[in-house]
Amino acid sequence: MTYDGPGNGRSDRPLEPSAYGQEAQVAYALKVLDAVGGGPVVQVALSKAANWALDLAAHHAERVRGTVLIGPTVAVADTDAVRLAHSALDGPRPDVEPSRVPLVEKDPPEQWAKYNRAYWREDYDDFVWFFLGQCFSERHSTKQIEDGVRWGRETTGAVLVADSHGSRPDADTLAAWCARVTQPVLLIHGDKDRISPVRRSELLADLTGGELVTLEGAGTSRSPAIRYASTS
């Protein structure tokens, strides 16, 4: 079972940041569970949705049988140093060349400057090409990138700006939630992930007593090999 959150798919495109905040996102998930019978379920969350999944597991344990977190983007470890060196979320629109991804080439690290609210408003399509190229960093990923760009074009830069202002839990809050989780937790993360460093999954595995599956040589998409690591 899947559903479209705000800003995506068949859902509305609100421009009020509160529609994308932590409390609202958890409420959406609970409403979906109510609509389909209540659970308990094994929940699967990708990237930023890990914040909502951990909240549900900690505070609505009767609705959750287990949790799978894929490439979680949470506030328990710093973003990659290369990305941090070039990103300025609230700075002026950067003067950078167009993405090379449509030409089946790679973008240089300094193009992380496009992770910028002004850029999203003014050149959202180019940002989508750049970002999907970072998500699917492995060779022979043109089909995945093109599919991702097509989905990304279903929303707008203004929606992305609104979402970026939505509330998110800090590291202390996440640690407290993890301490309350009693159900099984599985984390899956590529060790070459350019969006969210694998260190985040390592820390969450320690905090939850969960199992970490590391995909060797993978970004946020796929991998030729799997390495298992467990904590208890």
Side-chain angles (χ1 to χ4, degrees):
M1 176 188 64
T2 61
Y3 67 95
D4 296 329
N8 296 279
R10 297 181 181 179
S11 291
D12 293 340
R13 292 350 186 215
L15 298 182
E16 172 54 52
S18 62
Y20 303 94
Q22 179 71 20
E23 183 176 344
Q25 296 284 6
V26 172
Y28 302 145
L30 290 172
K31 287 181 180 179
V32 171
L33 287 176
D34 289 342
V36 299
V41 299
V42 175
Q43 56 176 345
V44 181
L46 171 68
S47 190
K48 186 165 57 181
N51 295 284
W52 317 327
L54 288 171
D55 196 340
L56 281 167
H59 299 114
H60 302 277
E62 74 284 358
R63 314 294 290 272
V64 178
R65 189 184 300 275
T67 299
V68 181
L69 305 179
I70 305 173
T73 299
V74 294
V76 296
D78 290 336
T79 303
D80 179 81
V82 173
R83 177 174 169 178
L84 281 175
H86 297 286
S87 298
L89 189 61
D90 284 316
R93 183 191 184 281
D95 183 14
V96 288
E97 65 177 16
S99 174
R100 300 175 186 175
V101 175
L103 305 176
V104 197
E105 298 178 11
K106 293 182 179 180
D107 286 328
E110 54 265 27
Q111 291 221 7
W112 270 111
K114 295 177 180 179
Y115 202 85
N116 169 274
R117 290 180 176 127
Y119 202 89
W120 299 343
R121 291 189 181 97
E122 298 176 26
D123 205 344
Y124 174 71
D125 195 71
D126 184 70
F127 170 77
V128 171
W129 277 107
F130 161 74
F131 190 77
L132 268 297
Q134 298 300 309
C135 288
F136 296 99
S137 56
E138 303 92 339
R139 298 174 61 191
H140 310 300
S141 294
T142 53
K143 178 63 166 63
Q144 292 91 328
I145 292 171
E146 290 170 359
D147 284 347
V149 169
R150 176 167 55 87
W151 296 329
R153 285 172 172 169
E154 294 177 1
T155 191
T156 67
V159 167
L160 189 57
V161 170
D163 174 84
S164 72
H165 284 292
S167 61
R168 300 286 179 266
D170 60 19
D172 290 340
T173 300
L174 287 163
W177 292 350
C178 288
R180 297 183 55 161
V181 174
T182 58
Q183 314 93 335
V185 176
L186 172 65
L187 298 113
I188 303 172
H189 212 126
D191 64 0
K192 303 299 182 183
D193 191 330
R194 297 178 183 175
I195 308 302
S196 186
V198 68
R199 179 61 179 157
R200 287 176 171 158
S201 281
E202 293 170 349
L203 290 172
L204 289 178
D206 288 339
L207 290 167
T208 61
E211 180 180 14
L212 170 61
V213 177
T214 303
L215 306 181
E216 295 184 351
T220 55
S221 52
R222 63 188 185 274
S223 172
I226 297 177
R227 179 176 68 249
Y228 292 91
S230 300
T231 60
S232 59

